[in-house]
Amino acid sequence: MPANWLSITHYPSPLGPLAVVTGPAGLCRLAFPGEKPDAPPSYLAQKFPGATINVDENGSSCREVLRQLDEYFAGRRFSFSLPLDLRGTPFQLAVWSALQRIPYGTTCSYSDIALVTGRPGAVRAVGQAIGRNPVGIIIPCHRVIGKDGRLVGFGSGLATKEWLLNFEESNLKTNQTLTGR
């Protein structure tokens, strides 16, 4: 493959098919069902100019991503350890980093993330950065809820966010029961 390539594989998740986009430096996009891999418009072209995009039917370009997704959806993986190729502003990268520290099966508010990033007054900007998270699930933006506990703001719909939160909570309870904790 040329040095500047992206590969798209479709992963059959319980939510529907996820589009997994990888490149030489790692996972760069995970699109939910109904979402195009280049959404928002021209995402891949803008973030990876000149990249050759190939469809990888058998997933050979992203075996580790697929393995970790399998484990996650089987309730055996609580965090991901994948090389990521994230393209964003320094603030977006700081927000995405903070999201990765939210424990499995728990939630926090947009205000909490603003505090963690050192910008307590930037709640709206945090929401915008979260909305631009290119690898949902892997970077668990679904774990961020409104300060009053309501489910708000999820690009793939609140039903998907609710499903992910319920899934994680259920797996956490099952795991605690099995381990006696």
mmCIF file of all heavy atoms in Angstrom, residues 5 8 11 13 17-18 21 30-34 40 43 79 81 89 113 133 141 145 147 155 157 163-165 180:
data_model
loop_
_atom_site.group_PDB
_atom_site.id
_atom_site.type_symbol
_atom_site.label_atom_id
_atom_site.label_comp_id
_atom_site.label_asym_id
_atom_site.label_seq_id
_atom_site.Cartn_x
_atom_site.Cartn_y
_atom_site.Cartn_z
ATOM 1 N N TRP A 5 -2.403 5.977 3.071
ATOM 2 C CA TRP A 5 -3.584 5.167 2.771
ATOM 3 C C TRP A 5 -4.526 5.138 3.965
ATOM 4 O O TRP A 5 -4.123 5.341 5.110
ATOM 5 C CB TRP A 5 -3.192 3.735 2.402
ATOM 6 C CG TRP A 5 -2.421 3.041 3.488
ATOM 7 C CD1 TRP A 5 -1.061 3.018 3.644
ATOM 8 C CD2 TRP A 5 -2.949 2.280 4.587
ATOM 9 N NE1 TRP A 5 -0.721 2.300 4.769
ATOM 10 C CE2 TRP A 5 -1.858 1.832 5.372
ATOM 11 C CE3 TRP A 5 -4.240 1.935 4.982
ATOM 12 C CZ2 TRP A 5 -2.001 1.066 6.519
ATOM 13 C CZ3 TRP A 5 -4.393 1.164 6.144
ATOM 14 C CH2 TRP A 5 -3.283 0.739 6.882
ATOM 15 N N ILE A 8 -11.088 1.085 5.007
ATOM 16 C CA ILE A 8 -12.403 1.049 5.650
ATOM 17 C C ILE A 8 -12.893 -0.392 5.716
ATOM 18 O O ILE A 8 -12.923 -1.095 4.712
ATOM 19 C CB ILE A 8 -13.432 1.904 4.882
ATOM 20 C CG1 ILE A 8 -12.990 3.364 4.837
ATOM 21 C CG2 ILE A 8 -14.819 1.781 5.512
ATOM 22 C CD1 ILE A 8 -13.872 4.263 4.001
ATOM 23 N N TYR A 11 -17.749 -3.369 10.587
ATOM 24 C CA TYR A 11 -17.794 -4.267 11.729
ATOM 25 C C TYR A 11 -19.252 -4.485 12.139
ATOM 26 O O TYR A 11 -19.967 -3.521 12.422
ATOM 27 C CB TYR A 11 -16.999 -3.669 12.894
ATOM 28 C CG TYR A 11 -17.110 -4.478 14.166
ATOM 29 C CD1 TYR A 11 -16.350 -5.625 14.341
ATOM 30 C CD2 TYR A 11 -18.004 -4.115 15.167
ATOM 31 C CE1 TYR A 11 -16.467 -6.381 15.497
ATOM 32 C CE2 TYR A 11 -18.122 -4.865 16.322
ATOM 33 C CZ TYR A 11 -17.360 -5.997 16.477
ATOM 34 O OH TYR A 11 -17.482 -6.759 17.610
ATOM 35 N N SER A 13 -21.667 -4.812 14.604
ATOM 36 C CA SER A 13 -21.879 -4.654 16.050
ATOM 37 C C SER A 13 -23.346 -4.872 16.405
ATOM 38 O O SER A 13 -24.204 -4.854 15.523
ATOM 39 C CB SER A 13 -21.447 -3.256 16.490
ATOM 40 O OG SER A 13 -22.479 -2.315 16.262
ATOM 41 N N PRO A 17 -23.927 -2.028 11.681
ATOM 42 C CA PRO A 17 -22.565 -2.002 11.150
ATOM 43 C C PRO A 17 -21.832 -0.702 11.494
ATOM 44 O O PRO A 17 -22.343 0.390 11.261
ATOM 45 C CB PRO A 17 -22.746 -2.146 9.643
ATOM 46 C CG PRO A 17 -24.159 -1.765 9.379
ATOM 47 C CD PRO A 17 -24.941 -2.020 10.624
ATOM 48 N N LEU A 18 -20.644 -0.859 12.067
ATOM 49 C CA LEU A 18 -19.763 0.270 12.341
ATOM 50 C C LEU A 18 -18.714 0.320 11.239
ATOM 51 O O LEU A 18 -18.192 -0.728 10.835
ATOM 52 C CB LEU A 18 -19.054 0.101 13.687
ATOM 53 C CG LEU A 18 -19.910 -0.086 14.934
ATOM 54 C CD1 LEU A 18 -19.023 -0.336 16.154
ATOM 55 C CD2 LEU A 18 -20.799 1.113 15.152
ATOM 56 N N VAL A 21 -12.153 2.872 10.246
ATOM 57 C CA VAL A 21 -11.189 3.431 9.302
ATOM 58 C C VAL A 21 -9.820 3.473 9.979
ATOM 59 O O VAL A 21 -9.660 4.076 11.043
ATOM 60 C CB VAL A 21 -11.592 4.849 8.840
ATOM 61 C CG1 VAL A 21 -10.604 5.376 7.798
ATOM 62 C CG2 VAL A 21 -13.008 4.861 8.283
ATOM 63 N N LEU A 30 -14.261 5.835 13.632
ATOM 64 C CA LEU A 30 -15.227 4.769 13.891
ATOM 65 C C LEU A 30 -16.592 5.413 13.711
ATOM 66 O O LEU A 30 -16.990 6.260 14.509
ATOM 67 C CB LEU A 30 -15.066 4.210 15.306
ATOM 68 C CG LEU A 30 -15.967 3.028 15.620
ATOM 69 C CD1 LEU A 30 -15.454 1.772 14.920
ATOM 70 C CD2 LEU A 30 -16.017 2.777 17.109
ATOM 71 N N ALA A 31 -17.272 5.054 12.643
ATOM 72 C CA ALA A 31 -18.567 5.654 12.327
ATOM 73 C C ALA A 31 -19.693 4.708 12.706
ATOM 74 O O ALA A 31 -19.639 3.513 12.433
ATOM 75 C CB ALA A 31 -18.639 6.005 10.840
ATOM 76 N N PHE A 32 -20.700 5.257 13.350
ATOM 77 C CA PHE A 32 -21.857 4.490 13.786
ATOM 78 C C PHE A 32 -22.785 4.192 12.607
ATOM 79 O O PHE A 32 -22.683 4.814 11.553
ATOM 80 C CB PHE A 32 -22.620 5.274 14.859
ATOM 81 C CG PHE A 32 -21.943 5.259 16.197
ATOM 82 C CD1 PHE A 32 -21.011 6.232 16.528
ATOM 83 C CD2 PHE A 32 -22.226 4.270 17.120
ATOM 84 C CE1 PHE A 32 -20.379 6.223 17.755
ATOM 85 C CE2 PHE A 32 -21.596 4.245 18.350
ATOM 86 C CZ PHE A 32 -20.672 5.222 18.670
ATOM 87 N N PRO A 33 -23.727 3.242 12.782
ATOM 88 C CA PRO A 33 -24.676 2.927 11.711
ATOM 89 C C PRO A 33 -25.395 4.185 11.233
ATOM 90 O O PRO A 33 -25.765 5.043 12.033
ATOM 91 C CB PRO A 33 -25.671 1.965 12.376
ATOM 92 C CG PRO A 33 -24.910 1.358 13.496
ATOM 93 C CD PRO A 33 -23.964 2.429 13.980
ATOM 94 N N GLY A 34 -25.539 4.285 9.933
ATOM 95 C CA GLY A 34 -26.229 5.424 9.344
ATOM 96 C C GLY A 34 -25.345 6.642 9.166
ATOM 97 O O GLY A 34 -25.723 7.611 8.530
ATOM 98 N N PRO A 40 -18.296 14.239 9.926
ATOM 99 C CA PRO A 40 -18.906 15.327 9.203
ATOM 100 C C PRO A 40 -18.332 15.437 7.791
ATOM 101 O O PRO A 40 -17.269 14.896 7.528
ATOM 102 C CB PRO A 40 -18.583 16.560 10.047
ATOM 103 C CG PRO A 40 -17.483 16.165 10.940
ATOM 104 C CD PRO A 40 -17.523 14.679 11.074
ATOM 105 N N TYR A 43 -14.679 14.753 6.230
ATOM 106 C CA TYR A 43 -13.765 14.544 7.364
ATOM 107 C C TYR A 43 -12.464 13.872 6.921
ATOM 108 O O TYR A 43 -11.374 14.360 7.208
ATOM 109 C CB TYR A 43 -14.448 13.713 8.463
ATOM 110 C CG TYR A 43 -13.506 13.363 9.585
ATOM 111 C CD1 TYR A 43 -13.259 14.269 10.607
ATOM 112 C CD2 TYR A 43 -12.825 12.146 9.608
ATOM 113 C CE1 TYR A 43 -12.367 13.977 11.626
ATOM 114 C CE2 TYR A 43 -11.928 11.853 10.625
ATOM 115 C CZ TYR A 43 -11.710 12.762 11.628
ATOM 116 O OH TYR A 43 -10.819 12.475 12.627
ATOM 117 N N SER A 79 -11.694 -1.193 28.541
ATOM 118 C CA SER A 79 -10.993 -0.049 27.958
ATOM 119 C C SER A 79 -10.242 -0.561 26.730
ATOM 120 O O SER A 79 -10.040 -1.764 26.573
ATOM 121 C CB SER A 79 -10.029 0.590 28.961
ATOM 122 O OG SER A 79 -9.019 -0.320 29.315
ATOM 123 N N SER A 81 -6.883 -0.375 24.058
ATOM 124 C CA SER A 81 -5.457 -0.057 23.945
ATOM 125 C C SER A 81 -5.068 -0.205 22.480
ATOM 126 O O SER A 81 -4.557 -1.244 22.075
ATOM 127 C CB SER A 81 -4.625 -0.962 24.851
ATOM 128 O OG SER A 81 -4.849 -2.318 24.525
ATOM 129 N N THR A 89 -7.690 19.925 17.147
ATOM 130 C CA THR A 89 -7.003 21.047 17.778
ATOM 131 C C THR A 89 -6.414 20.578 19.110
ATOM 132 O O THR A 89 -6.838 19.545 19.640
ATOM 133 C CB THR A 89 -7.983 22.201 18.041
ATOM 134 O OG1 THR A 89 -8.939 21.779 19.031
ATOM 135 C CG2 THR A 89 -8.703 22.645 16.757
ATOM 136 N N ILE A 113 -15.728 17.484 32.537
ATOM 137 C CA ILE A 113 -14.668 17.425 31.515
ATOM 138 C C ILE A 113 -14.031 18.805 31.352
ATOM 139 O O ILE A 113 -12.812 18.918 31.210
ATOM 140 C CB ILE A 113 -15.212 16.891 30.170
ATOM 141 C CG1 ILE A 113 -15.735 15.454 30.336
ATOM 142 C CG2 ILE A 113 -14.145 16.956 29.071
ATOM 143 C CD1 ILE A 113 -14.700 14.432 30.746
ATOM 144 N N ASN A 133 -15.549 13.969 18.256
ATOM 145 C CA ASN A 133 -14.777 12.765 18.561
ATOM 146 C C ASN A 133 -14.880 11.803 17.375
ATOM 147 O O ASN A 133 -15.968 11.326 17.055
ATOM 148 C CB ASN A 133 -15.339 12.114 19.828
ATOM 149 C CG ASN A 133 -14.737 10.760 20.136
ATOM 150 O OD1 ASN A 133 -13.732 10.358 19.560
ATOM 151 N ND2 ASN A 133 -15.366 10.048 21.055
ATOM 152 N N CYS A 141 -17.211 8.908 24.484
ATOM 153 C CA CYS A 141 -17.991 10.140 24.630
ATOM 154 C C CYS A 141 -19.422 9.851 25.090
ATOM 155 O O CYS A 141 -20.084 10.739 25.631
ATOM 156 C CB CYS A 141 -17.983 10.932 23.334
ATOM 157 S SG CYS A 141 -18.517 10.022 21.886
ATOM 158 N N ILE A 145 -22.785 12.996 30.215
ATOM 159 C CA ILE A 145 -24.214 13.328 30.277
ATOM 160 C C ILE A 145 -24.371 14.753 30.799
ATOM 161 O O ILE A 145 -23.398 15.386 31.218
ATOM 162 C CB ILE A 145 -24.977 12.324 31.179
ATOM 163 C CG1 ILE A 145 -24.429 12.345 32.605
ATOM 164 C CG2 ILE A 145 -24.893 10.914 30.594
ATOM 165 C CD1 ILE A 145 -25.214 11.494 33.593
ATOM 166 N N LYS A 147 -25.359 17.831 33.298
ATOM 167 C CA LYS A 147 -25.078 18.026 34.724
ATOM 168 C C LYS A 147 -26.233 17.548 35.605
ATOM 169 O O LYS A 147 -26.040 17.091 36.717
ATOM 170 C CB LYS A 147 -24.786 19.504 34.984
ATOM 171 C CG LYS A 147 -24.187 19.780 36.318
ATOM 172 C CD LYS A 147 -23.738 21.224 36.415
ATOM 173 C CE LYS A 147 -22.970 21.431 37.705
ATOM 174 N NZ LYS A 147 -22.388 22.764 37.772
ATOM 175 N N GLY A 155 -24.196 12.347 18.716
ATOM 176 C CA GLY A 155 -24.353 12.425 17.266
ATOM 177 C C GLY A 155 -25.076 11.247 16.646
ATOM 178 O O GLY A 155 -25.726 11.389 15.616
ATOM 179 N N GLY A 157 -27.483 9.633 18.077
ATOM 180 C CA GLY A 157 -28.811 9.530 18.669
ATOM 181 C C GLY A 157 -28.774 9.100 20.121
ATOM 182 O O GLY A 157 -27.905 8.317 20.530
ATOM 183 N N TRP A 163 -28.264 2.884 24.919
ATOM 184 C CA TRP A 163 -27.926 1.465 24.760
ATOM 185 C C TRP A 163 -26.517 1.200 25.287
ATOM 186 O O TRP A 163 -26.290 0.250 26.034
ATOM 187 C CB TRP A 163 -28.035 1.043 23.293
ATOM 188 C CG TRP A 163 -27.901 -0.437 23.112
ATOM 189 C CD1 TRP A 163 -28.917 -1.349 23.045
ATOM 190 C CD2 TRP A 163 -26.676 -1.205 23.006
ATOM 191 N NE1 TRP A 163 -28.388 -2.618 22.912
ATOM 192 C CE2 TRP A 163 -27.028 -2.554 22.882
ATOM 193 C CE3 TRP A 163 -25.336 -0.857 23.010
ATOM 194 C CZ2 TRP A 163 -26.080 -3.568 22.758
ATOM 195 C CZ3 TRP A 163 -24.380 -1.865 22.897
ATOM 196 C CH2 TRP A 163 -24.762 -3.211 22.767
ATOM 197 N N LEU A 164 -25.550 2.037 24.887
ATOM 198 C CA LEU A 164 -24.165 1.844 25.319
ATOM 199 C C LEU A 164 -24.030 1.961 26.838
ATOM 200 O O LEU A 164 -23.347 1.160 27.472
ATOM 201 C CB LEU A 164 -23.243 2.847 24.617
ATOM 202 C CG LEU A 164 -22.995 2.588 23.133
ATOM 203 C CD1 LEU A 164 -22.388 3.812 22.462
ATOM 204 C CD2 LEU A 164 -22.113 1.363 22.937
ATOM 205 N N LEU A 165 -24.677 2.953 27.427
ATOM 206 C CA LEU A 165 -24.602 3.126 28.878
ATOM 207 C C LEU A 165 -25.236 1.946 29.611
ATOM 208 O O LEU A 165 -24.667 1.435 30.583
ATOM 209 C CB LEU A 165 -25.264 4.439 29.292
ATOM 210 C CG LEU A 165 -24.523 5.708 28.878
ATOM 211 C CD1 LEU A 165 -25.355 6.944 29.187
ATOM 212 C CD2 LEU A 165 -23.156 5.789 29.554
ATOM 213 N N GLY A 180 -17.345 -11.527 42.699
ATOM 214 C CA GLY A 180 -17.640 -11.410 44.114
ATOM 215 C C GLY A 180 -17.345 -10.034 44.696
ATOM 216 O O GLY A 180 -17.212 -9.880 45.899
#
